[in-house]
Each structure stands twice: as structure tokens, then as C-alpha cells.
Amino acid sequence: TNLANISYERGDLPQAAELYATSLDHLARTGDARFQSTNQHNLALVSMALGDLQSARTSLNESVRLSRLHGYPEDEAEGLSSLADVALAEGAYDEAEAMLADGLALARSTGNRTAEAGVLHSRGLLYASRGAYRKAEADLIQALEMYDELGLVSDATEVRADLASLSAAMGNVTTGLALLTELDDLVESGALGPAVAADVTLVSADLRALLNDYEGAAADYDGAAALYRSANDLRGRVDADRGRGLMELTRANWEIAAERLGRARDAQLGAGNIRSAAISGLYLAFALEQAGDPAAARATLAESLSELVPLGDHVTAAAVLGAQADLESRDGWLARADSLYRSGLEML
């Protein structure tokens, strides 16, 4: 377990995953349920960083089960918080909210402030995703105050970066960028580790893009991608590539947009994140069409649709049908477009 922890801190995630799995095999023989729960949680965090949400969910379900069965409410609260993060990444907002409510009650009942801060942080991100910005701000500020009091610098830094993103979402982009500027020295010192530094750099890229500082944003996107790469954080690299690709779409740099969005989509497909890959595919198809390759755009959308239908994700599938209809309409195939639009409406 200690070797796995060291590998995780160094960013060697494949090695960490292998060592946690080996440790779990040994712990299963000893019957030490608490360490099993902890290592299942740690293995899930590695899986999340590698972009494998399905494996992360499996490990977290087992972690929560063990904690609940053997009476470790603090561990259960932390497991529920991470499980809610997976649900949020999958777009299952109601499921995430229910888990966070249970996790917060458990954390507060045991007086575990670290677990409570983690749940509040996750709930703040959920509220932000739902557009409930004031609720999100209240939770994130409360989580930040707790992390500062506990001396958890990396966790506090992550919350500050999320508050910067929230400020931008609320229309205060310059305020958000100012919050990030306060973290420059800490990021450059290397004390945070590559993954946290990458998160801060990625938020900076998003905000600079909103302010039309495209050169600064491009440098930050590429810097974030390099940091994520050194941390073996696939999800982060995907976010950096997708962010750069979306920015290039707004600048009509179709080839660069298609390259970055295609890279993000391929990584998402490789990790089994079909819904996220389909959404990236929507933007990729538009970039390919504008770059003069409507056949590749059609193929991308058709592939996304074929992957979504078995999942029963009718909303995203309808969005893909709408994009197909848009493409046919722009090419003058109005009958095809009409049929696709109607298919999308029927799916909803």
C-alpha cells in the first residue's frame, strides 16, 4: 500500500493501480476491512484520473459497502463524495445529489471536518453544473475555509481554482483570473504537484479564452496538457485538449480544432466514456465539416449515434441526430434533414 501511495504521488498511475490491486489481494486474506475500503477508494481515484469511470464506480461501490458493513462512517462519507463525483462526470445529477446528502450527514455526525469539506466541495461543483451559482459559491467558500483551517494546501488550491471558474460563470471573468493570479507563486514552486498545478493552469486557460486572450489561453492549455501528461492524468489531458479545441472552433481554426477534439474523443472512447465522447464528437463533426470534410463529419456522427443507442442515452442521441440534420440541411438535403429532426424529437 505504501509503495502504491508513493507511485500515486509521483504520478505513476498505472504502477499505482497495479500495486493497489496487489495490496487488495493481500488484505482480502487478512480480513482487514478498513484498509480494504481505503485501498478500494484509492484505486478508484487512480481509475478516475485514468479516465475509467466504470472501474472507479465499481471500486467506490465496494469501498462504501465495506465501510457501511463494518461501521466506518467517516470512510463511507468520503466514499460517497467520490462516488458522487463519478455520477456528476456521467451527468447523473440526481444520483450525485442523493449521495452527497447522505455523505454530508455522515461526515457531520462523526465530526470529520476533512470529509465534510470534501462533500461540500463536491456539492458546490454539482450546484455549479446545475446553474445554482449562489448555492455553489456558499458551499465552495465553506469548504475553502475548512481546508485552510486544516492546513490542506492542495485541497484549498483546488477549491480556489473552482471558485475562479464559478466567478467566470457568474460573469466576473476578471475577478476569477485575479483569484488564479494569487496562486501563481504556489504553482510555480512545484509544491502542489503536477496534477493540482495542471488543474489551476487549465482554469486559467478557460478564463483567458473568455477574455479573448487566445495566445495566453493556448499556452495555458498546452501547459496544462503537459502537466497532466506528467501526472498520467488522462481525464485532465482530455479536458485540456477539448478546451483548446473548443477555443479554436470560435476562432475558425478548423484543422487545429479537429485535431484537438479528435484526440480528446479518441481518449474518451478508449476509456469507455461513451457519452462524453459523443459530445466531443458533436463539436468534432462541425470542425471537420468546416474544414471541408463532410464525409468525415457524417462518419463521426454516425459512430457516436451507434455507440449511444445501446446505452439508452436518448437526450445525447437526440442531440447527435439534430447535428446530423443540421449538416444535411446545410448541404441542401432538406428531406433527409426533416427526417432526422423528426427522429430526434421522437427520441425525446
Coordinates of all heavy atoms in Angstrom, one line a residue, residues 55 104 164 256 269 315:
S55 N -14.7 1.6 -13.9 CA -13.9 0.9 -12.9 C -13.9 1.7 -11.6 O -13.9 1.1 -10.5 CB -12.4 0.7 -13.4 OG -12.4 -0.2 -14.4
L104 N -22.8 14.0 3.5 CA -22.7 15.2 4.4 C -23.3 14.9 5.8 O -22.7 15.3 6.8 CB -23.4 16.4 3.8 CG -23.2 17.7 4.5 CD1 -21.8 18.1 4.5 CD2 -24.1 18.8 3.8
A164 N -12.7 30.4 -9.0 CA -12.3 31.2 -10.1 C -13.2 30.9 -11.3 O -13.7 31.8 -12.0 CB -10.9 31.1 -10.5
I256 N -6.9 22.8 -36.5 CA -6.4 22.6 -35.1 C -7.5 22.1 -34.2 O -7.4 21.2 -33.4 CB -5.8 23.9 -34.6 CG1 -4.6 24.4 -35.4 CG2 -5.4 23.8 -33.1 CD1 -4.1 25.7 -35.0
L269 N -13.2 7.5 -25.8 CA -13.7 6.2 -26.3 C -12.8 5.1 -25.7 O -13.3 4.1 -25.3 CB -13.6 6.2 -27.8 CG -14.7 7.0 -28.6 CD1 -14.4 7.0 -30.1 CD2 -16.1 6.4 -28.3
V315 N -31.2 11.6 -24.7 CA -31.0 13.1 -24.8 C -29.8 13.3 -25.7 O -29.9 14.1 -26.6 CB -30.9 13.7 -23.4 CG1 -30.5 15.2 -23.6 CG2 -32.2 13.6 -22.6

